[in-house]
Amino acid sequence: MTPGGPGDAEEDKGGLRTALTGLTTRGRSFLAAGIAAAICAYVLGQSDLLRVGLLLAVLPLVCATVLYRTRYRVAGSRRLSPGRVPAGSEARVHLRMDNVSRLPTGLLMLQDRVPYVLGPRPRFVLDRVEAGGRREVSYRVRSDLRGRYPLGPLQLRLTDPFGMCELTRSFSTYDTLTVIPRVEPLPPVRLSGESKGYGDGRQRSLALAGEDDIIPRGYRYGDDLRRVHWRLTARYGELMVRREEQPQRSRCTVLLDTRGIAYEGAGPDSAFEWAVSGTASTLVHMLERGFSVRLLTDDGNSVPGEGADGFAGASQESADAAGLMMDTLAVIDHSDGAGLSRAYDVLRGGNEGLLIAFLGDLDEEQATVLAKMRQRSGGAVAFLLDSETWVREPTDVPGPLDRSEDRLRMLREAGWTAVTVPRGAELADLWRQADRQRTGAASTGSTAGGGRS
């Protein structure tokens, strides 16, 4: 349960002026009418009219004073279920109000501030909360746009029985709802390159190169006695064991092209949003298949960066790694960069494993950089989005696709498994298409086979 405020909300701030500013339209009308009646009574010398005027003017003032002097101590809290939700899905917000004073409350109006994109501002009327009582309400929020949205602060509005005055008290804290990209389940297909191993095929690094080249370590409780090296044990005078083979998790780098000049259009159905959603789906899929995964953007930033190489390795839980990358993709936006050279510099170290890229419009220079990236990876798959096909209305006459086809040919000649992404395409279908393309190329000897991903 997240606190809705620093502790509680108490109506003891300000003065009578604060209470008077809370007069409603009805209260101000009564006050104005009373003053006008009193002036008319003074001018006309009508004492009865003066009494009526005083009654009309005093009533809203008394209501404001009584409401201001009423001591309510209430505590508010908010809980999100869930706190991270895919775009287009609903989340429920649970609000709880506790009356921690010794007096029952009067009529209360509870209001929570939410961004416009999440829906209308929720309001709830609480009739009466007994001393020590509790009231719980909830509302739903939904957004088709990914991002991080603040919820709060929670506001409590007090009103008198006559509706003459309203006082608002706000809690100081708020919560954040994270709307992540949509994640599409992907079929298990073979998208690998070299014999380094991907998916089921894992590389193993041996701790010993031969009987005479052994790197031993001391015996630890629970070690298999069959691993004890008796010759070294006799030499050192303590139990020594051989190191086991150390399995390495297969690596996968997912490259997302965020250059602003590479995409046209905006909104949830734009090419860039499709690329972000495809990146999220690929990251989750590869983590579920047991890969060490890294998210890389065109400006050279990688997530997560827990290890020296930036991969989410075995020391990091897959769920935590997925959550970290989903939070990053929830707020990722276009970059000001014009090229992919920074991403290439990150890949210069080699041993990158499988490289999967989601790319916008490419010129010849960037296609050349991508061709060099292929040399730094065991296998490479590219999903190429042509912005013109996403912003142009569908017609029977095909548009000019010579440039995109030329870039596609350059990538395939460099060893990429490259497919174009038309508007409204499903990533799962393109995933299978890439597998068929790789399989067809492998049958002619153009690429090497690999493990299942």
Side-chain angles (χ1 to χ4, degrees):
M1 190 70 68
T2 305
D8 54 17
E10 185 176 352
E11 284 71 84
D12 58 356
K13 299 179 181 179
L16 184 59
R17 181 180 301 178
T18 303
L20 293 178
T21 57
L23 289 176
T24 62
T25 302
R26 179 184 299 178
R28 296 177 186 273
S29 300
F30 267 66
L31 183 60
I35 294 175
I39 294 175
C40 292
Y42 176 77
V43 173
L44 300 176
Q46 298 290 331
S47 59
D48 293 337
L49 182 59
L50 178 62
R51 297 189 187 97
V52 174
L54 291 177
L55 177 62
L56 293 177
V58 168
L59 181 60
L61 297 178
V62 171
C63 290
T65 303
V66 172
L67 188 63
Y68 170 76
R69 299 293 298 176
T70 302
R71 302 295 179 179
Y72 294 144
R73 293 178 60 88
V74 292
S77 59
R78 181 191 300 104
R79 177 171 57 88
L80 303 181
S81 177
R84 183 188 292 121
V85 62
S89 300
E90 291 184 345
R92 184 168 289 274
V93 183
H94 301 269
L95 303 177
R96 192 179 81 176
M97 297 299 301
D98 295 279
N99 183 10
V100 296
S101 65
R102 298 181 180 180
L103 297 175
T105 68
L107 186 66
L108 302 177
M109 176 180 288
L110 192 62
Q111 177 177 279
D112 205 8
R113 288 186 178 181
V114 300
Y116 177 77
V117 70
L118 296 182
R121 179 172 297 184
R123 294 182 175 90
F124 304 93
V125 177
L126 306 180
D127 249 344
R128 179 180 180 273
V129 183
E130 64 278 5
R134 174 189 303 171
R135 295 292 184 271
E136 295 184 2
V137 293
S138 65
Y139 64 93
R140 294 177 296 178
V141 290
R142 178 181 181 274
S143 174
D144 292 327
L145 299 175
R146 55 186 176 81
R148 295 173 65 95
Y149 301 102
L151 301 179
L154 193 62
Q155 291 182 329
L156 190 63
R157 182 176 298 176
L158 308 175
T159 159
D160 66 282
F162 299 101
M164 299 288 181
C165 183
E166 289 183 352
L167 293 181
T168 302
R169 294 292 181 264
S170 297
F171 297 88
S172 60
T173 59
Y174 61 91
D175 293 276
T176 301
L177 175 67
T178 303
V179 180
I180 62 175
R182 295 183 180 92
V183 176
E184 181 180 349
L186 301 178
V189 298
R190 297 178 179 272
L191 292 175
S192 58
E194 298 179 351
S195 59
K196 294 178 180 179
Y198 304 96
D200 295 335
R202 306 281 181 89
Q203 180 186 14
R204 292 181 178 270
S205 60
L206 299 180
L208 52 90
E211 187 66 22
D212 297 328
D213 186 15
I214 300 174
I215 305 177
R217 63 170 176 83
Y219 176 83
R220 297 172 185 171
Y221 179 77
D223 285 340
D224 190 350
L225 292 178
R226 290 174 296 182
R227 291 171 48 212
V228 174
H229 194 283
W230 297 108
R231 183 186 304 174
L232 294 176
T233 298
R235 178 186 302 176
Y236 291 104
E238 60 176 329
L239 285 177
M240 304 294 293
V241 297
R242 299 182 179 91
R243 288 186 179 179
E244 291 180 331
E245 294 180 341
Q246 302 296 326
Q248 289 185 348
R249 299 184 74 191
S250 304
R251 290 181 171 184
C252 176
T253 298
V254 183
L255 172 63
L256 174 61
D257 182 8
T258 63
R259 296 172 299 137
I261 62 175
Y263 299 93
E264 297 181 16
D269 296 327
S270 63
F272 180 67
E273 292 301 322
W274 191 98
V276 174
S277 178
T279 300
S281 302
T282 303
L283 289 169
V284 173
H285 175 74
M286 302 309 288
L287 281 172
E288 291 176 349
R289 307 303 293 182
F291 280 68
S292 293
V293 179
R294 174 178 60 182
L295 170 63
L296 181 65
T297 59
D298 57 283
D299 55 8
N301 294 328
S302 60
V303 179
E306 183 180 88
D309 54 6
F311 284 88
S315 62
Q316 187 175 19
E317 295 293 337
S318 295
D320 296 337
L324 178 60
M325 289 185 281
M326 291 301 105
D327 289 344
T328 301
L329 290 176
V331 296
I332 201 167
D333 202 354
H334 292 294
S335 68
D336 297 330
L340 302 171
S341 57
R342 292 184 180 179
Y344 172 70
D345 292 338
V346 175
L347 298 175
R348 272 184 161 178
N351 194 24
E352 299 296 331
L354 179 61
L355 175 61
I356 302 177
F358 291 85
L359 308 167
D361 293 334
L362 300 174
D363 54 22
E364 185 175 357
E365 179 181 356
Q366 306 313 316
T368 303
V369 174
L370 286 168
K372 295 179 181 179
M373 286 185 185
R374 174 62 183 87
Q375 303 172 4
R376 303 292 179 181
S377 62
V381 181
F383 297 95
L384 187 60
L385 291 89
D386 183 11
S387 294
E388 292 185 0
T389 63
W390 285 77
V391 299
R392 187 178 62 243
E393 291 297 329
T395 59
D396 295 334
V397 180
L401 300 177
D402 295 339
R403 192 179 69 171
S404 62
E405 290 294 336
D406 183 59
R407 304 296 177 258
L408 196 66
R409 178 184 55 80
M410 291 181 60
L411 293 180
R412 288 173 177 172
E413 289 179 352
W416 284 80
T417 300
V419 296
T420 56
V421 181
R423 182 169 60 177
E426 297 290 338
L427 179 58
D429 298 334
L430 298 176
W431 198 256
R432 297 187 184 92
Q433 180 182 343
D435 176 52
R436 290 193 298 268
Q437 183 184 132
R438 187 208 62 83
T439 303
S443 63
T444 60
S446 299
T447 59
R452 180 175 296 272
S453 68

